[in-house]
Amino acid sequence: MTAPVRSDVDAIGAARGLTTLVEAEADAAELAGTMTEPVVEALHDAGLFGLMVPRELGGSEADIATCLEVFEILAYADGSSGWSYMANATAAAFAAVFTGDEAVSTIFGTGPRMPVVAGMFGPIGSSELIGGKYVATGRYGFASGSGHATWISGGTLVVRDGEFVATPSGLPEMRVVFVPRAHVEFLGNWDVMGLQGTGSYDYALDAEVVDPGFTFPLIGAVRQRGGAVYGFDVLGVTSAGHAGFALGVGLRAMDEVVRIVANKARLGSTPVRDQQLFQYELGFHDAAMRAARALVFEVFTSVEADLFSGREPSEIERQRLRQVTTYATRVAAEAVRFAYTWAGSNALRQPSVLGRCFRDMHAATQHVFVDNNTITDAGVLRLAAAAAAQR
């Protein structure tokens, strides 16, 4: 295989071209609870919904550095819009790469525009193979980007005769199903402190009959099409989305506080920008954000290089994708907290870009994907590798 290269489509330039619109629509998205129609249309027109879709299906099949930067750029403009978009881009990649030919023909070949995919991959529902088809039932939450999605996914635990089906590894079989939007009951229930504009609605599937080709196993999915970049698998691709989001929001908060303190002074004290403590903390968090960004790109591009050379990344290399994603999220959350605190009431009053950064970033820290165990697991693997080397 040849080395990965930047995609033919200038996705980074396209994302940068949308930032003014995305930022202008941010307050409206937060009020509506979902990405606004002008932003959805602009993403379609720019071809960005196909960022992670294989070229053979009309997508960009972007390299991982491009994906990270696009997620970062859009989240910088507005956290909710960036979050919704990364959820759509990654879900579309999974539908395109792991489902059967009939599903791909139906989902990606029935219209002039790239489909928009959303849903919860966590195995909250159940499915049973009956007459050669899966019958899926479940009530789900956190379907980010579902307000404008055309296809909805749902994670299930496979059951047979009322019992969970086990895989050869002993784990229960987990299968993701994809269904048209019209077959899903949306339940609303998205009233939250942060990421309000992501349209992460609750929804339900009620005995939905799904052809096996419109499903794939959540663990151990086999790539059906596309190039080496899809060797990142579900966890790796999802990590890129969360990492890019965290970098974008953290960097925006830092820029906002610098802008605010240019003319800010509290009664009876020197201007904020002249206070040594502020200057120290600004320098510290600036370094932390830059270091986290460099580490994210280093780890992701290193794994990508392995994939394109035909080498399977080691277990610890794959775990580091999760490790650096959680680490970047923690670093960004601290940077946002610093910026929000020093901005004072400028970040408290609505509308406020920095106030929105604070709400969105701290909502993101609650996602299970950036649980502290992802860092602990990297430590465990590091210790195991050291012990094995001493034998």
Side-chain angles (χ1 to χ4, degrees), residues 18 116 132 210 219 307 331 340 344 349:
L18 296 182
V116 181
V210 184
I219 303 297
L307 294 171
V331 169
Y340 178 85
R349 295 183 183 276

Side-chain angles (χ1 to χ4, degrees), residues 139-164:
R139 175 169 176 154
Y140 299 84
F142 304 106
S144 297
S146 63
H148 52 275
T150 51
W151 284 81
I152 304 296
S153 62
T156 68
L157 289 170
V158 180
V159 298
R160 182 187 303 123
D161 299 327
E163 300 289 336
F164 293 122

Side-chain angles (χ1 to χ4, degrees), residues 46-211:
L48 286 177
F49 281 122
L51 177 75
M52 305 187 82
V53 173
R55 289 190 180 93
E56 63 197 84
L57 300 180
S60 297
E61 196 168 323
D63 61 276
I64 203 65
T66 294
C67 295
L68 285 165
E69 196 161 349
V70 169
F71 296 147
E72 178 186 51
I73 290 167
L74 294 177
Y76 182 99
D78 171 42
S80 280
S81 296
W83 183 279
S84 294
Y85 171 73
M86 67 93 166
N88 294 144
T90 54
F94 304 142
V97 172
F98 296 127
T99 61
D101 290 342
E102 181 184 352
V104 163
S105 177
T106 302
I107 297 172
F108 291 89
T110 57
R113 307 174 92 180
M114 190 65 62
V116 181
V117 188
M120 163 59 73
F121 277 32
I124 296 173
S126 65
S127 62
E128 185 169 9
L129 193 59
I130 300 175
K133 296 182 183 294
Y134 286 97
V135 179
T137 297
R139 175 169 176 154
Y140 299 84
F142 304 106
S144 297
S146 63
H148 52 275
T150 51
W151 284 81
I152 304 296
S153 62
T156 68
L157 289 170
V158 180
V159 298
R160 182 187 303 123
D161 299 327
E163 300 289 336
F164 293 122
V165 176
T167 63
S169 69
L171 291 173
E173 182 180 351
M174 294 172 275
R175 189 159 287 271
V176 178
V177 303
F178 292 88
V179 301
R181 180 186 185 88
H183 294 206
V184 176
E185 179 186 3
F186 282 93
L187 306 172
N189 194 33
W190 188 239
D191 185 7
V192 288
M193 185 189 81
L195 296 174
Q196 178 65 38
T198 60
S200 303
Y201 303 123
D202 289 1
Y203 64 103
L205 299 178
D206 183 15
E208 181 69 19
V209 179
V210 184
D211 186 274

